[in-house]
Amino acid sequence: MNNLGTLVSMQLRAKYNIHGSKFTIDSFFKLIYVFIKLLAIFFIAYLLFFVCIKFRIFSIQVFVPSNILLVFYVGFFFINLVTSTVNIIETLYLASDNKVLLSLPCKPQVVFLSKLIVCYIQELKTTYMTLLPIFLAYITINGQGISFYFSTILGMVVLVLLQTAICGLISIPVYYFIKLFKKFYWLQVILMVFIFVLIAGVLIYLTRAIPNDFNFSLIAKWGEYSNKVREFLKDFRQLFLFIAIPFEMLVGKLTDIVSIYPSYYWIFVLIIIALLIILNVIAYFLQQFFFFKLVGSNDGPPSLKVKVGANSPNGTFTTSFKITSLIYIRQPTMFFTNFAFTLLLPFVLLFFNRIYLTMDLREAGYQIILSFNIFFILLIISSNNVSFASMFSQQGAFATQFKIEPINFYSYTLGKLLFPIIITFISICFSILVIGASWFNIIFIGVLIICLIMAHLMYCIELDISNPQYKYYENGVHKNVDPNKVTAYIFSLLMSFVTGGFILFLYQIGDVNIAFKLMLVGILILLYRIFVFKRKINVFFRSF
């Protein structure tokens, strides 16, 4: 056990990119960043709770009911349950450092225990960085006693330990499900399609459920709606009672204007301690058994079925497009991750526009809604382009060989981009149909959006060519943020914000041909980006 602290320290340093034991300027700025982040979350949560109290949204008393925070906590609990389980699987069973650590002069049980501690520290860090400032803001706004601060800070240590044990037990069957999931292609397709249809169906259902006089009925019947919200919160607490009880042991239970601990406080303290011991003992021995079994079974690459036969000759463009398309088609999870929100964008816009159009707005209101729609479409679609800011750098050291290969750069790049461009084009076409403009304006705005998206896409590729990040991707371990992607994100946000704001400004000054003029501006911007793109390519790829 003497090596336990050393092993934990090694893994945490590798995971969080900590160099040396001295306190440096970088360490100081990292602490300042963490402190600012915690303060920002605290004040945002405090402001939201203040608004709820000021307008008596959830209670006529001068406090925020604990059930409001419970709803958020339940959502966080289940999301964290998934992420924590995935993290345990990656840290315990799939980590690349398993074989290195097991070859060190220490007992395998110590290696396993060190990995469990690392998982726990990661989950505790996540909980403290997200939940803790929100809970403290809730305690502060309600004027609760100092004991609630201590119970929240210390109680999270115990609850995270309990949650880590639960996730450890869940991780074993989940690991085998993931293994089965990766083995059968049709299972991946069915699951991805089911998730997409489910999300789209929920959005359509919510859109159709909004009444035509939504804004008037919301104001006129606020008392009725408020009572329904309170009834819902009571039913919600009963449904998730197994989470509500430990939650109330942290922040207390509000009765009228007095915040108290539940009467069953000490009884459930003993129950939670007993559960903690039992679950951790079971999780430890089960995970230890599967840890050694699964780590030993990860040797060797998976067997692949190779189709024997002559390869058909294809050009550069056809080969590049075929390879890119097959990668997305054969990996449904990758396709869903990259394009799910792009394809769901029309449904999201339909939902929000339905809410806006039920309001009694003046002309300026409709102009603001149209500007926001364009801003939102540009932001979401252009954010999806950011991945292309590392299109060549992701190949690592092999990317440098691309310059000496006898292929045409434009054909190769267009082939890689055509499949994502088709998906983006489909999303844009359906998105602009729900923004509530005339047909001519829809066409002009659609051309504007497509031009700006293509200009941003070429800018992302330029970033990768001008400032390649080969070392960042060559070892497969990404400890820092790719600066090209950060720049692409910033440019995406600025482009979307400036475009939306400029459209709103032109509407305010009464320009009747705004859509047509903006389309011309978009075409000019695209032509300029094509010119700059070609110039830079000729610099970095002189042979073409």
Side-chain angles (χ1 to χ4, degrees), residues 269-498:
V269 165
L270 296 176
I271 293 175
I272 288 177
I273 291 174
L275 277 175
L276 193 64
I277 295 172
I278 294 171
L279 286 177
N280 274 281
V281 169
I282 295 173
Y284 177 81
F285 286 105
L286 273 179
Q287 285 180 279
Q288 185 181 34
F289 171 76
F290 282 97
F291 172 71
F292 297 123
K293 180 181 179 180
L294 296 176
V295 167
S297 67
N298 285 336
D299 294 326
S303 57
L304 300 174
K305 294 181 180 181
V306 180
K307 185 178 179 180
V308 180
N311 293 325
S312 56
N314 292 310
T316 302
F317 169 78
T318 306
T319 302
S320 178
F321 174 72
K322 185 177 180 181
I323 291 174
T324 306
S325 303
L326 287 175
I327 289 173
Y328 284 118
I329 293 172
R330 291 176 179 176
Q331 298 182 24
T333 307
M334 180 180 178
F335 177 88
F336 184 82
T337 303
N338 290 341
F339 302 114
F341 205 73
T342 301
L343 294 174
L344 286 170
L345 180 59
F347 299 99
V348 176
L349 285 174
L350 185 65
F351 172 71
F352 283 114
N353 284 329
R354 174 62 178 167
I355 295 177
Y356 300 145
L357 294 176
T358 58
M359 301 179 182
D360 186 17
L361 301 173
R362 294 180 297 175
E363 185 66 24
Y366 289 107
Q367 294 168 0
I368 293 173
I369 292 173
L370 181 60
S371 302
F372 175 78
N373 274 272
I374 296 172
F375 162 78
F376 194 68
I377 294 172
L378 284 173
L379 183 63
I380 298 303
I381 301 294
S382 60
S383 297
N384 209 40
N385 291 342
V386 172
S387 60
F388 295 103
S390 60
M391 186 171 71
F392 298 104
S393 295
Q394 285 180 354
Q395 300 176 20
F398 296 101
T400 55
Q401 299 178 9
F402 179 74
K403 292 185 179 182
I404 61 175
E405 291 180 359
I407 60 175
N408 186 281
F409 174 85
Y410 300 109
S411 299
Y412 175 79
T413 305
L414 182 60
K416 288 184 71 68
L417 297 177
L418 185 59
F419 188 87
I421 287 175
I422 292 173
I423 301 297
T424 300
F425 182 78
I426 293 172
S427 177
I428 292 174
C429 289
F430 282 100
S431 297
I432 61 176
L433 291 176
V434 300
I435 62 176
S438 63
W439 280 105
F440 284 107
N441 284 342
I442 284 177
I443 294 172
F444 296 150
I445 291 172
V447 174
L448 167 68
I449 293 174
I450 291 172
C451 290
L452 292 178
I453 293 299
M454 292 301 104
H456 180 261
L457 180 60
M458 284 188 283
Y459 176 73
C460 292
I461 299 172
E462 286 177 26
L463 288 173
D464 191 31
I465 294 172
S466 305
N467 184 29
Q469 303 293 318
Y470 301 139
K471 293 183 179 180
Y472 176 80
Y473 292 98
E474 63 184 2
N475 58 2
V477 180
H478 310 149
K479 298 176 182 177
N480 299 310
V481 180
D482 186 348
N484 290 339
K485 288 188 175 182
V486 174
T487 306
Y489 269 123
I490 294 173
F491 189 81
S492 166
L493 181 61
L494 288 175
M495 180 187 70
S496 306
F497 182 78
V498 170

Side-chain angles (χ1 to χ4, degrees), residues 73 159 241-251 264 268 272:
Y73 179 70
L159 290 184
L241 190 62
F242 65 98
I243 300 177
I245 290 175
F247 164 78
E248 290 169 356
M249 293 171 66
L250 293 181
V251 300
Y264 44 74
F268 275 90
I272 288 177

Side-chain angles (χ1 to χ4, degrees), residues 30-31 36 65 94 184 190 216 253 259 403 470:
K30 286 180 180 178
L31 286 177
I36 293 173
L94 303 176
F184 296 102
I190 291 174
F216 294 111
K253 184 177 180 181
S259 182
K403 292 185 179 182
Y470 301 139

Side-chain angles (χ1 to χ4, degrees), residues 223-233:
E224 181 183 342
Y225 287 141
S226 181
N227 291 330
K228 288 182 179 179
V229 169
R230 293 191 187 97
E231 290 298 322
F232 166 77
L233 292 175

